[in-house]
Amino acid sequence: MAASLRNSPMAVGEYGMAHFSDKGKSNGKDYCIFFNSQWARLPQDLHKASRLQIYDLTTSVLCSPSEVPEGGFPNRIPMVLRGNCTFYEKVRLAQINGAKGLLIVSKDRLTPPAGNKTQYEEIDIPVALLSYSDMLDISKTFGKGRLVAMYAPNEPVLDYNMVIIFLMAVGTVAVGGYWAGSRDRKKRYLKLKRDEAAEKQDEETVDVTPIMICVFVVMCCSMLVLLYFFYDYLAIWVIVIFCLASSVGLHSCLWPFVRRLPFCKCRVPENNLPYLQKRPHVSMLLLSAFCVGVSVTWMVFRNEDAWAWVLQDTLGIAFCLYMLKTVRLPTFKACTLLLSVLFVYDVFFVFITPFLTNSGESIMVEVAAGPSDSTTHEKLPMVLKVPRLNSSPLALCDRPFSLLGFGDILVPGLLVVYCHRFDILIQSSRIYFVACTIAYGIGLLITFVALAVMQMGQPALLYLVPCTLLTSLTVALCRKELPQFWTGSGFVPAIVLAPINCTQTAAPQTEVPLNPKPEPQPTEDGDPSEEKAQDPAPQERPTTENADEENKSN
């Protein structure tokens, strides 16, 4: 599932500030509020906001005329409790009794005040929600003659956190593409040598077929729709699956480094326990416990906005690297099919579904950020998230995040992996890999610009897919390698076989024709120096004739 790049929260409701102060005093304190901009907008500057006296009615919910005090609320802003009737009924009752605004104190999570669109025209005073804890602090800090000024400071759409998201996304694609391609080269060499390690690596790699692509897209569509309608029931299962998958990914990323450590080289003693019969290294078990511990820690503290996002991004990057290493597109034809189908998928669920839903919200955006009417208020972890870093009074509010879905990293990343594998096979200077990685970065920058211009969630694949596909295609056309690049075959023997034959034996050239059947070479390996290092020493095979006799005896 590819979540779109967006800034959250994003809905009918907007965050604003309520500046409280005592009468006759200039200093005061800001508190976070949530208001409905479609009912009445707030000024962006505190100095342009009117300071009005608060009418404390927090013992009432203001749902009937009997709760209105004698004389009403002339040029005042009543502060009432939430509940027993709709927001519209409260604000309408306050407005007809002379109120210039309404503050509704909520003990629950702040949600945007809502009502029928036909009712918006009847309301011309601002109405906002204030948290119950803030109301208690206001009562302790300020006297009975307290004043309030409500305003909504304007924040820039693009923030410094975009730089962090850009570096994480491009870095993950670059490292994953390089790692997967280099690992694939070693795997092919070991396979031709019929080494046991090759069989193990084959099990860890999945070649994607067109049928698998179609099944995957259908599953993505079905899962997204199910999450939209049954979010509260499925969100916790997605969180659990993410914890398991990210634990495996983190283990896969850290194991190449841990295995080189000089300690914990011993194995588990002989036993009949499940999963331990093969006597794994103690270091592997310790690493597994550490990875599971990191995932469980995130799961327990996932709602700690101040720091839990760091763990989520770390686990998410590890998961993406693991997937880029494991899933492999065998041809550029398969890359084009996958990217094109998911391009349509992303655009449809971001730009088309608002015309099909009752709320007018995009299904993709609604699921990625969590529905506003969710009872659990869980957030799906399948995104990279970074809090906004610019200084603003709105930092007092629920910390807003910028999000980038894992699909916007994995889908173009699979094409980058294929480009690196192709570079290795044709022994190029990684021109396909570098060009495709740069194109991904450019596509992400275009997405940021579109986000700033349109000020709404963007389907990142709308910009990433054309940039990466067209760039790879252009490089193949300029190098006149499109047939080979499209099919991923038909070019290895003529390029790789010659240098390998030159290093396979120390015999003179005149003796080469004596060998009617030369030993098969790992023609798919693009690193002849690596093959040379693996061959026996020359004194063990002084002539080609001796090699033939050895082959026949075998």
Side-chain angles (χ1 to χ4, degrees):
M1 182 175 64
S4 304
L5 178 69
R6 66 185 299 273
N7 292 327
S8 70
M10 182 177 177
V12 174
E14 299 178 15
Y15 283 113
M17 306 305 300
H19 183 83
F20 281 81
S21 61
D22 283 320
K23 192 172 183 179
K25 296 183 180 180
S26 58
N27 60 334
K29 187 176 180 180
D30 286 327
Y31 295 89
C32 180
I33 57 174
F34 208 34
F35 71 101
N36 192 326
S37 59
Q38 294 185 353
W39 285 6
R41 301 201 64 85
L42 297 178
Q44 297 180 357
D45 193 347
L46 174 60
H47 300 292
K48 297 180 180 179
S50 301
R51 295 195 177 192
L52 300 172
Q53 188 171 356
I54 282 288
Y55 193 104
D56 193 346
L57 202 63
T58 51
T59 57
S60 169
V61 291
L62 195 61
C63 287
S64 65
S66 61
E67 297 177 89
V68 178
E70 185 177 354
F73 315 104
N75 294 322
R76 296 184 180 185
I77 296 181
M79 187 164 59
V80 302
L81 290 178
R82 180 180 180 179
N84 292 1
C85 60
T86 64
F87 293 119
Y88 169 72
E89 292 173 327
K90 294 178 187 291
V91 67
R92 183 175 179 275
L93 195 57
Q95 179 175 292
I96 62 177
N97 284 277
K100 296 299 181 182
L102 178 65
L103 281 175
I104 302 175
V105 178
S106 176
K107 293 183 179 180
D108 300 325
R109 180 174 177 265
L110 298 184
T111 56
N116 296 329
K117 292 184 178 181
T118 56
Q119 300 171 342
Y120 293 158
E121 298 179 356
E122 304 178 24
I123 305 301
D124 57 9
I125 63 172
V127 53
L129 267 72
L130 179 75
S131 70
Y132 186 79
S133 59
D134 286 344
M135 185 272 293
L136 296 178
D137 185 75
I138 291 169
S139 301
K140 294 178 181 179
T141 307
F142 304 99
K144 294 184 178 180
R146 64 184 77 108
L147 302 176
V148 65
M150 293 190 290
Y151 68 106
N154 191 22
E155 284 193 302
V157 177
L158 294 181
D159 188 78
Y160 299 118
N161 62 1
M162 294 296 186
V163 177
I164 300 178
I165 287 184
F166 178 85
L167 293 177
M168 288 195 301
V170 176
T172 302
V173 167
V175 173
Y178 183 85
W179 185 19
S182 300
R183 180 178 176 273
D184 188 63
R185 175 178 61 182
K186 182 179 179 181
K187 184 193 69 175
R188 286 195 303 271
Y189 176 80
L190 293 176
K191 184 178 180 180
L192 289 170
K193 287 294 183 180
R194 301 185 183 279
D195 195 290
E196 294 180 358
E199 298 178 1
K200 181 180 179 181
Q201 291 191 9
D202 276 340
E203 295 175 358
E204 297 176 355
T205 304
V206 178
D207 284 334
V208 178
T209 64
I211 296 178
M212 293 172 63
I213 292 174
C214 296
V215 173
F216 172 73
V217 174
V218 171
M219 290 177 61
C220 285
C221 295
S222 303
M223 188 63 184
L224 192 60
V225 173
L226 288 174
L227 280 169
Y228 180 74
F229 288 105
F230 307 102
Y231 186 88
D232 290 336
Y233 300 99
L234 298 177
I236 189 63
W237 291 106
V238 175
I239 292 173
V240 172
I241 293 172
F242 171 75
C243 286
L244 296 175
S246 61
S247 298
V248 175
L250 188 61
H251 184 279
S252 176
C253 293
L254 295 180
W255 175 241
F257 303 98
V258 173
R259 68 189 301 178
R260 289 175 172 80
L261 296 177
F263 48 85
C264 292
K265 291 288 186 179
C266 56
R267 292 180 176 270
V268 174
E270 293 185 3
N271 61 86
N272 295 323
L273 298 175
Y275 306 107
L276 297 179
Q277 294 179 354
K278 295 183 179 181
R279 301 182 60 199
H281 288 90
V282 174
S283 58
M284 177 180 289
L285 296 180
L286 294 176
L287 179 61
S288 300
F290 171 77
C291 295
V292 172
V294 173
S295 296
V296 172
T297 301
W298 171 83
M299 186 174 183
V300 173
F301 299 101
R302 62 186 180 276
N303 294 321
E304 296 290 336
D305 288 342
W307 57 270
W309 64 272
V310 178
L311 283 182
Q312 179 173 322
D313 290 350
T314 302
L315 293 171
I317 290 174
F319 170 75
C320 290
L321 290 175
Y322 174 73
M323 293 301 294
L324 290 176
K325 183 185 68 171
T326 304
V327 179
R328 183 175 64 178
L329 294 172
T331 65
F332 184 65
K333 177 181 178 181
C335 295
T336 304
L337 176 61
L338 177 64
L339 268 67
S340 300
V341 173
L342 290 179
F343 170 88
V344 176
Y345 158 85
D346 213 21
V347 172
F348 174 80
F349 279 102
V350 174
F351 286 149
I352 307 300
T353 53
F355 299 101
L356 306 177
T357 58
N358 295 329
S359 62
E361 289 291 333
S362 160
I363 290 181
M364 179 76 75
V365 172
E366 192 80 355
V367 170
S372 58
D373 59 349
S374 170
T375 57
T376 60
H377 307 305
E378 293 288 355
K379 305 291 184 183
L380 294 184
M382 308 304 291
V383 293
L384 296 181
K385 55 187 294 188
V386 180
R388 305 194 71 171
L389 303 177
N390 60 329
S391 57
S392 168
L394 292 180
L396 295 173
C397 299
D398 187 18
R399 187 184 300 266
F401 289 86
S402 294
L403 313 177
L404 182 68
F406 290 167
D408 301 326
I409 298 175
L410 290 174
V411 175
L414 293 174
L415 175 58
V416 175
V417 171
Y418 176 78
C419 288
H420 190 209
R421 291 177 52 241
F422 189 81
D423 280 323
I424 291 174
L425 289 175
I426 66 174
Q427 292 185 309
S428 72
S429 55
R430 296 191 175 90
I431 184 172
Y432 286 92
F433 170 69
V434 173
C436 195
T437 303
I438 293 175
Y440 176 81
I442 294 174
L444 203 56
L445 291 176
I446 296 175
T447 309
F448 293 161
V449 174
L451 181 68
V453 172
M454 300 184 187
Q455 297 188 7
M456 61 179 295
Q458 295 296 308
L461 294 183
L462 175 64
Y463 312 99
L464 296 174
V465 169
C467 284
T468 52
L469 273 182
L470 293 179
T471 299
S472 304
L473 185 63
T474 302
V475 173
L477 287 173
C478 292
R479 292 173 59 89
K480 299 180 180 179
E481 296 170 345
L482 183 58
Q484 297 94 332
F485 189 62
W486 180 259
T487 59
S489 60
F491 51 87
V492 178
I495 297 176
V496 180
L497 186 58
I500 292 180
N501 283 340
C502 292
T503 59
Q504 91 174 26
T505 179
Q509 278 188 332
T510 55
E511 297 184 12
V512 173
L514 298 177
N515 186 359
K517 295 182 179 181
E519 184 180 352
Q521 300 298 321
T523 57
E524 295 186 19
D525 193 344
D527 191 352
S529 61
E530 182 177 342
E531 169 66 16
K532 181 178 178 181
Q534 297 290 337
D535 282 345
Q539 59 267 25
E540 296 179 7
R541 295 191 297 157
T543 65
T544 309
E545 294 175 351
N546 292 340
D548 288 341
E549 292 177 2
E550 183 179 350
N551 289 337
K552 290 179 182 179
S553 63
N554 291 335

